[in-house]
Amino acid sequence: MQVSPSLLSADFAHLSDDIDMINSSEADMLHLDVMDGVFVPNISFGFPIIKMVSHLCDKPLDAHLMIVEPHKWIPQIRDLGVRIMNVHQEACRHLHRTIYQIREAGMEAGVTINPATPVLMLQDIITDLDLVLIMSVNPGFGGQPFIEHSIEKVRELRALIDRTGSKAKIQVDGGVNAETGRRLAEAGADCLVAGSYIFNSNDPHKAISTLKNL
Ligand code: DX5
Ligand code: ZN
């Protein structure tokens, strides 16, 4: 299982300590939640923070953009050193074009779907994707309870990927812990995003390792 700790739950007064922890952990990448207060009812952090994180972090950066019109920022996000640019299906008017622009910029293309968006919305672009992120909470906040129906969506997406021969990895974000993570692994998830489970733990290295071994 791949693990992408979500920086949203880190201690922003001691961010470099938390990034050191990620660097010395078994985490595969670092998940950055960018929120604009329009697409989601919250605002998180933007380019200056990502630039600093990019300098300090040895792991690939996985940017989850909860913003309207994400295509406008593709060059800036690439220049910050982001490996995976992940846009919401609900935020893109011309999703196919945006995916190709992300790939042409040299990044991996990910598409995220909200809890109310069916997996079949991705069937015409699934072979163009490097990653699909299934939101297992409504985006905007850490620490929310896991939405059960997400397990079924992972199964459906696994079937779509296997049927089409897509190379897309399945990532899941929201309410992930050892118990929900185990069930997501059984359903076919490839990568788990976790914020509060890791950063609120007394032993974040162990929390990462627990998810890693699911
Ligand atoms: C929510 C974010 C998540 C968030 C997950 O909008 O996309 O990445 O940090 O937090 P937990 O793991 O606490 O649910
Ligand atoms: Zn996220």
Side-chain angles (χ1 to χ4, degrees):
M1 178 62 69
Q2 291 199 317
V3 179
S4 189
S6 166
L7 197 70
L8 192 63
S9 294
D11 178 355
F12 281 77
H14 303 96
L15 208 45
S16 64
D17 293 345
D18 280 348
I19 293 170
D20 284 346
M21 183 280 290
I22 301 286
N23 285 340
S24 62
S25 77
E26 294 177 64
D28 297 275
M29 54 191 104
L30 178 60
H31 185 85
L32 301 174
D33 288 297
V34 180
M35 305 179 187
D36 66 356
V38 178
F39 182 70
V40 287
N42 197 8
I43 295 177
S44 56
F45 50 78
F47 296 152
I49 299 281
I50 297 176
K51 188 174 177 185
M52 189 267 287
V53 170
S54 182
H55 282 136
L56 295 173
C57 188
D58 302 337
K59 309 273 180 177
L61 300 180
D62 149 35
H64 175 196
L65 300 172
M66 287 162 272
I67 63 175
V68 297
E69 303 189 326
H71 63 275
K72 288 183 176 170
W73 309 104
I74 292 171
Q76 286 89 337
I77 287 168
R78 188 262 323 275
D79 291 348
L80 289 166
V82 165
R83 166 88 60 92
I84 306 170
M85 178 164 167
N86 206 334
V87 298
H88 266 260
Q89 185 273 340
E90 305 85 359
C92 296
R93 191 164 288 159
H94 299 288
L95 185 56
H96 184 273
R97 175 186 289 146
T98 300
I99 289 162
Y100 273 84
Q101 288 171 339
I102 292 170
R103 297 177 81 161
E104 276 162 21
M107 293 181 285
E108 293 178 27
V111 170
T112 305
I113 54 171
N114 278 334
T117 303
V119 166
L120 65 83
M121 293 301 286
L122 301 177
Q123 70 182 3
D124 290 354
I125 52 157
I126 192 69
T127 54
D128 301 310
L129 299 179
D130 298 296
L131 182 126
V132 174
L133 169 52
I134 292 190
M135 284 308 299
S136 40
V137 298
N138 284 295
F141 304 92
Q144 303 180 82
F146 183 79
I147 297 173
E148 271 305 312
H149 179 57
S150 317
I151 302 273
E152 188 49 41
K153 286 175 82 169
V154 171
R155 281 202 198 97
E156 272 178 49
L157 179 58
R158 180 86 269 154
L160 176 65
I161 287 172
D162 291 349
R163 190 169 74 241
T164 56
S166 164
K167 64 178 183 320
K169 298 266 189 255
I170 302 178
Q171 193 182 54
V172 188
D173 182 10
V176 169
N177 55 36
E179 189 268 326
T180 54
R182 180 185 55 75
R183 291 190 289 132
L184 289 165
E186 280 169 14
D190 300 299
C191 179
L192 300 174
V193 176
S196 46
Y197 175 70
I198 292 172
F199 288 99
N200 295 351
S201 156
N202 292 330
D203 188 346
H205 278 112
K206 191 170 160 221
I208 291 170
S209 184
T210 300
L211 297 179
K212 207 43 218 157
N213 289 308
L214 288 176

